[in-house]
Structure formats: structure tokens, C-alpha cells
Amino acid sequence: MFTDRSDSLADERPHRGYGVAVTPGERGPCALVTGYGLANRLLTWRDGALRDVASPAVADEGRHAIGVVAADLDADGYEEFYVHNTDEFGGRTRDTDLLLDPVECSPDCDGARWRDLYGLGINADRGNFRAGRSVAALDRYGTGRYGVFVASYGTPSRFYELGDDGELTDMASAVGLDVDACGRSLLAGPIVSESMDLFVGVERGPNRLYRNESGHYEEIAADVGVADRETDARGVTMADAAIAYGSWEGPNRIFEPREDGTFDDVAPPEFAQPTRVRTLACADFDNDGREELFVHVMGAGNRLFRRTPDGWSMLDPGPAAEPKGLGTGATVADFDGDGTLELLLVHGELAAQPLSLYAAENDRGWLRVRPTTQYGAPARGAAVTLETDEWTRTRVVCAGSGYLCQMEPVAHFGLGDAAPERVRIRWPDGRETTIDRPAERAEHEISHPMAPRF
């Protein structure tokens, strides 16, 4: 299915990386790829290629970065990058985390100056020295101001919110998110409520699922059937309303919701078959109106599945199989602005390997929706539903998924032969907007209903 576009990566040097997150720039998406003992990279499309434009503050060379997420923590309309550093497998670390704030709110990756908010005097004793894995953004109340959850490993997890003076406060215990488990992967969004919920994929124990109850969280994984003590969870993503996740050498799951609010595993044998899963990414790569589910694997062939009316069928990923790849992270974005999604793969679990880039050649129709918050930043966690003359699909703007990763903050719909009739956006605060007859082959930026109008 995929064609290799790795010649569009300007830097072909081997990289030992893990997570990758995407934020919008003025001229296109910007992807921060973490570096484990190496410099982080900040990639954006310039002159026909993805080029590294990381400043020294972003590169942060020498620390051990793995999980990363982008979100607007200070409600200024621009996203920060939260980078989780860990030089230990579990417990305590010597590295603390990095919270990159764009100085002067510069809207473009290669024009921004960044400062580390952990470096402020007010945060001198607030560094995170707990070893962890994935990071996700949560807007508890739907106010457009996000916090960051860090899945710790062997110690209680963190949930940071940022004050107006730049002070970081761990709110995990206060809001019911003090997870004491070997947390691996995170999925944030309207999973079981219309607000931002949180799924935590766990190794050596049951998964957790936290339902948002007016800004506080109640754990319900066992009640709805997704605790799954048999697996060591890795990558996780939403496939329409289903929770799909992979396991390390154990069965992989696709949990679809039932009408009674519980979940049922509908994974076909080819998907359930154990392998060494790292990251999952769900998107319509060929714009045919059906989602594909990409499984990024460490030390074995990657897998690809397509959703059909009868379930999920296995596809040939072509060169993206990478049977000798030491897969870690992955993200999806339309880097070159042509309406077809690219798949960016990161490697480096046991040794440094170059990044790789893939896309599916097609000329089918598409439609993209970019909801924004009250402040103009990406509305991560918003649900976007497209109705066509043939089908209805829902995408959630990614606030953290995959494993250690985050996808671009856009709801991308391939159209195939369908004609779009209306788009409905539901923000994390429950407010909605409907657009009739949206234009095809266009990206629609939709402001929050309470955003100031000038």
C-alpha cells in the first residue's frame, strides 16, 4: 500500500529516538522527534523536504527523551511541547522533564524562540524525577487550558497544570489521577463520556480507564471490560469509537463499545496474533473513506489493517513493513499539504536507525477539519463527525495516542466516492457547531463558539 518517501527526509543520519508529536506551524505541521541521549529534532516541510529546525533549547542534547506531547497549557493560543526524559527503566531518574514554551508566541517552528518552563525559578524544586513513558494532554473542564499527564513506571503518575505565573503544580491526587502502576501508553479524549477521559495501558497489571466526572476522574476499566490483565500493553489508538491497542508479545485487542456501555474485543486473529508492538496509528492513508490501522513493531515486520463492513482485514504495507526496523514511535500528518497523510516512523530501541517516511499514492477526495479552542490553539480532544451521502465517521483530535506519541491536531477524512453533507464539531466543554456542505479538498479551521470575534 505505502510508497517509500524517505528521500524527503533531509537528515538521513541514524537516530536513537522514541516519541514524536505534531503541532501546527504557520506554514505547515512541525514534528518534535525525541532523542535518547541525542538531540531532539524539530521537523517541518521546507523546500521539498522535512528539515530539522531545532534550536539548542529544543534539541536539549544529552538528556534521554522518550514521550512527548503538544498542548496549550497557558491559554495563549500557542502550543507548548512537554518532553518526558528518563534515564532509568523505572523508579527515580537523574533527568528531569522539559516544557518548551514558544517565546513571544511565534507561530512558526523555525521562527520561534523557546524557553524551558522547568528552568524558571518558581519551578526550581518542581522537576519530575519519576521514570515514565507516554504523555497526554487533558482539558478537564473544556476551558481550552490543558494539563499534562505523565504515565510513570513504578511510581505514582503525575498530572501537571500551569499557573499564570508559570508555576507547575502536580494535580494528580487532587483530581483522581494518581495512578500507581507500570503505565505505558495513553489515550485521551471522549472515550466513555462527552468530556476528556483517559485510558492508561499498563504492563504487569490491569489497564486503567478514567471517566471524566465534571473535571475529576473515576476509574472504571474493570466495570466496562477493558482492564485486560492478560496483556502487557503498548501502543493504543481510537478507531472510530473503538479502543485498539497492542501488546508486547501478547494478544492485541480492538475493544468496540456495546450499547450497554461495556466493550467487546472484536480483533481478528491476524491482528490479535502476538508480536512486539510499539506504536499504533489509525488514519485513512489512501483517502478511500475507510480507516487503516498501522502497527509499528520492534524487530519484526510491521502490520497494516483496513476497516471493512465485516471487520478488519489485513493488508500488505509494502516497504513500510520494515522487517529489520527497531520501531519505537510513529505519527501521522499531512506534512507537504497535498491532502494525503504521511506516516513518519521513528526507530532506535536497541540501536540508532534513520527515520523513515511513507505515503499512499492516490488522487481521491479528502476533507480536513481543524477545531480551535477559545484561545485559538488546537482543540485536542474535540470530536469531529462527518456525514456524507454514503456514510458517517467520527474522528477525535489527538491529545495523546500511539505509544509515547501524538498525531497532528486535525480530523482528516478521505472521501472515496462520497460527497460531504455536513460536519459537526463537539468541543470538550460540550458545545457544538455544525457546517453544511463543507468544501472538498480543503482544510477548514473552525473556532470554538465562545472564541472572541473581531
Side-chain angles (χ1 to χ4, degrees), residues 149-167:
F149 183 88
V150 185
S152 298
Y153 196 94
T155 61
S157 294
R158 303 278 204 181
F159 177 63
Y160 289 107
E161 293 185 336
L162 186 68
D164 290 336
D165 56 0
E167 182 180 26

mmCIF file of all heavy atoms in Angstrom, residues 149-167:
data_model
loop_
_atom_site.group_PDB
_atom_site.id
_atom_site.type_symbol
_atom_site.label_atom_id
_atom_site.label_comp_id
_atom_site.label_asym_id
_atom_site.label_seq_id
_atom_site.Cartn_x
_atom_site.Cartn_y
_atom_site.Cartn_z
ATOM 1 N N PHE A 149 -0.584 14.822 31.544
ATOM 2 C CA PHE A 149 -0.465 13.603 32.336
ATOM 3 C C PHE A 149 0.775 12.839 31.880
ATOM 4 O O PHE A 149 0.974 12.628 30.685
ATOM 5 C CB PHE A 149 -1.717 12.734 32.155
ATOM 6 C CG PHE A 149 -1.709 11.478 32.987
ATOM 7 C CD1 PHE A 149 -2.203 11.486 34.277
ATOM 8 C CD2 PHE A 149 -1.203 10.290 32.474
ATOM 9 C CE1 PHE A 149 -2.195 10.333 35.049
ATOM 10 C CE2 PHE A 149 -1.194 9.139 33.238
ATOM 11 C CZ PHE A 149 -1.687 9.157 34.532
ATOM 12 N N VAL A 150 1.592 12.418 32.851
ATOM 13 C CA VAL A 150 2.807 11.641 32.576
ATOM 14 C C VAL A 150 2.626 10.259 33.189
ATOM 15 O O VAL A 150 2.469 10.140 34.417
ATOM 16 C CB VAL A 150 4.067 12.318 33.160
ATOM 17 C CG1 VAL A 150 5.317 11.546 32.757
ATOM 18 C CG2 VAL A 150 4.166 13.771 32.716
ATOM 19 N N ALA A 151 2.632 9.223 32.365
ATOM 20 C CA ALA A 151 2.463 7.849 32.838
ATOM 21 C C ALA A 151 3.777 7.371 33.448
ATOM 22 O O ALA A 151 4.724 7.037 32.731
ATOM 23 C CB ALA A 151 2.043 6.942 31.691
ATOM 24 N N SER A 152 3.855 7.331 34.773
ATOM 25 C CA SER A 152 5.076 6.904 35.455
ATOM 26 C C SER A 152 5.150 5.379 35.504
ATOM 27 O O SER A 152 4.137 4.683 35.385
ATOM 28 C CB SER A 152 5.116 7.485 36.870
ATOM 29 O OG SER A 152 5.140 8.895 36.826
ATOM 30 N N TYR A 153 6.370 4.887 35.710
ATOM 31 C CA TYR A 153 6.617 3.453 35.706
ATOM 32 C C TYR A 153 7.255 3.060 37.032
ATOM 33 O O TYR A 153 8.414 3.358 37.287
ATOM 34 C CB TYR A 153 7.534 3.072 34.535
ATOM 35 C CG TYR A 153 7.538 1.601 34.214
ATOM 36 C CD1 TYR A 153 6.696 1.075 33.243
ATOM 37 C CD2 TYR A 153 8.373 0.726 34.895
ATOM 38 C CE1 TYR A 153 6.692 -0.276 32.943
ATOM 39 C CE2 TYR A 153 8.380 -0.626 34.603
ATOM 40 C CZ TYR A 153 7.534 -1.124 33.630
ATOM 41 O OH TYR A 153 7.531 -2.470 33.338
ATOM 42 N N GLY A 154 6.462 2.434 37.897
ATOM 43 C CA GLY A 154 6.971 2.023 39.196
ATOM 44 C C GLY A 154 6.827 3.068 40.279
ATOM 45 O O GLY A 154 7.201 2.820 41.430
ATOM 46 N N THR A 155 6.282 4.237 39.947
ATOM 47 C CA THR A 155 5.980 5.293 40.907
ATOM 48 C C THR A 155 4.657 5.925 40.498
ATOM 49 O O THR A 155 4.228 5.786 39.354
ATOM 50 C CB THR A 155 7.071 6.384 40.937
ATOM 51 O OG1 THR A 155 7.160 6.979 39.641
ATOM 52 C CG2 THR A 155 8.431 5.814 41.315
ATOM 53 N N PRO A 156 3.983 6.642 41.406
ATOM 54 C CA PRO A 156 2.713 7.270 41.029
ATOM 55 C C PRO A 156 2.875 8.275 39.895
ATOM 56 O O PRO A 156 3.884 8.975 39.793
ATOM 57 C CB PRO A 156 2.265 7.961 42.325
ATOM 58 C CG PRO A 156 2.923 7.179 43.412
ATOM 59 C CD PRO A 156 4.252 6.763 42.847
ATOM 60 N N SER A 157 1.888 8.338 39.023
ATOM 61 C CA SER A 157 1.930 9.217 37.858
ATOM 62 C C SER A 157 1.748 10.673 38.258
ATOM 63 O O SER A 157 1.321 11.000 39.380
ATOM 64 C CB SER A 157 0.857 8.813 36.846
ATOM 65 O OG SER A 157 1.132 7.554 36.304
ATOM 66 N N ARG A 158 2.058 11.556 37.318
ATOM 67 C CA ARG A 158 1.941 12.996 37.507
ATOM 68 C C ARG A 158 0.855 13.564 36.593
ATOM 69 O O ARG A 158 0.638 13.062 35.492
ATOM 70 C CB ARG A 158 3.253 13.697 37.163
ATOM 71 C CG ARG A 158 4.476 13.224 37.937
ATOM 72 C CD ARG A 158 4.564 13.882 39.290
ATOM 73 N NE ARG A 158 5.930 13.910 39.791
ATOM 74 C CZ ARG A 158 6.285 14.416 40.959
ATOM 75 N NH1 ARG A 158 5.375 14.968 41.739
ATOM 76 N NH2 ARG A 158 7.555 14.403 41.350
ATOM 77 N N PHE A 159 0.211 14.635 37.066
ATOM 78 C CA PHE A 159 -0.670 15.422 36.204
ATOM 79 C C PHE A 159 -0.413 16.894 36.505
ATOM 80 O O PHE A 159 -0.783 17.403 37.563
ATOM 81 C CB PHE A 159 -2.141 15.074 36.422
ATOM 82 C CG PHE A 159 -3.073 15.917 35.596
ATOM 83 C CD1 PHE A 159 -3.027 15.858 34.209
ATOM 84 C CD2 PHE A 159 -3.972 16.784 36.186
ATOM 85 C CE1 PHE A 159 -3.861 16.651 33.433
ATOM 86 C CE2 PHE A 159 -4.824 17.570 35.423
ATOM 87 C CZ PHE A 159 -4.761 17.503 34.047
ATOM 88 N N TYR A 160 0.251 17.560 35.558
ATOM 89 C CA TYR A 160 0.692 18.932 35.766
ATOM 90 C C TYR A 160 -0.265 19.931 35.129
ATOM 91 O O TYR A 160 -0.690 19.775 33.980
ATOM 92 C CB TYR A 160 2.082 19.142 35.146
ATOM 93 C CG TYR A 160 3.187 18.439 35.886
ATOM 94 C CD1 TYR A 160 3.789 17.301 35.354
ATOM 95 C CD2 TYR A 160 3.638 18.906 37.116
ATOM 96 C CE1 TYR A 160 4.814 16.655 36.021
ATOM 97 C CE2 TYR A 160 4.659 18.259 37.798
ATOM 98 C CZ TYR A 160 5.235 17.124 37.250
ATOM 99 O OH TYR A 160 6.247 16.483 37.917
ATOM 100 N N GLU A 161 -0.569 20.976 35.883
ATOM 101 C CA GLU A 161 -1.255 22.137 35.351
ATOM 102 C C GLU A 161 -0.394 23.365 35.604
ATOM 103 O O GLU A 161 0.396 23.409 36.563
ATOM 104 C CB GLU A 161 -2.650 22.283 35.952
ATOM 105 C CG GLU A 161 -3.568 21.151 35.512
ATOM 106 C CD GLU A 161 -5.008 21.307 35.971
ATOM 107 O OE1 GLU A 161 -5.251 22.015 36.983
ATOM 108 O OE2 GLU A 161 -5.903 20.725 35.319
ATOM 109 N N LEU A 162 -0.536 24.361 34.725
ATOM 110 C CA LEU A 162 0.346 25.524 34.721
ATOM 111 C C LEU A 162 -0.418 26.756 35.189
ATOM 112 O O LEU A 162 -1.487 27.078 34.666
ATOM 113 C CB LEU A 162 0.886 25.741 33.296
ATOM 114 C CG LEU A 162 1.939 26.823 33.094
ATOM 115 C CD1 LEU A 162 3.247 26.433 33.776
ATOM 116 C CD2 LEU A 162 2.181 27.035 31.594
ATOM 117 N N GLY A 163 0.153 27.462 36.174
ATOM 118 C CA GLY A 163 -0.444 28.690 36.656
ATOM 119 C C GLY A 163 -0.078 29.877 35.784
ATOM 120 O O GLY A 163 0.813 29.807 34.920
ATOM 121 N N ASP A 164 -0.746 31.001 36.018
ATOM 122 C CA ASP A 164 -0.490 32.202 35.223
ATOM 123 C C ASP A 164 0.922 32.726 35.393
ATOM 124 O O ASP A 164 1.441 33.426 34.518
ATOM 125 C CB ASP A 164 -1.490 33.310 35.597
ATOM 126 C CG ASP A 164 -2.905 32.990 35.124
ATOM 127 O OD1 ASP A 164 -3.042 32.201 34.167
ATOM 128 O OD2 ASP A 164 -3.857 33.530 35.716
ATOM 129 N N ASP A 165 1.574 32.396 36.516
ATOM 130 C CA ASP A 165 2.949 32.848 36.772
ATOM 131 C C ASP A 165 3.988 31.852 36.296
ATOM 132 O O ASP A 165 5.174 32.007 36.574
ATOM 133 C CB ASP A 165 3.144 33.129 38.268
ATOM 134 C CG ASP A 165 2.800 31.910 39.137
ATOM 135 O OD1 ASP A 165 2.408 30.862 38.572
ATOM 136 O OD2 ASP A 165 2.938 32.008 40.373
ATOM 137 N N GLY A 166 3.559 30.804 35.590
ATOM 138 C CA GLY A 166 4.484 29.791 35.097
ATOM 139 C C GLY A 166 4.747 28.668 36.069
ATOM 140 O O GLY A 166 5.571 27.787 35.794
ATOM 141 N N GLU A 167 4.040 28.660 37.196
ATOM 142 C CA GLU A 167 4.264 27.626 38.206
ATOM 143 C C GLU A 167 3.568 26.327 37.821
ATOM 144 O O GLU A 167 2.374 26.306 37.503
ATOM 145 C CB GLU A 167 3.739 28.102 39.557
ATOM 146 C CG GLU A 167 3.974 27.107 40.684
ATOM 147 C CD GLU A 167 3.436 27.623 42.005
ATOM 148 O OE1 GLU A 167 2.497 28.449 41.991
ATOM 149 O OE2 GLU A 167 3.945 27.195 43.052
#
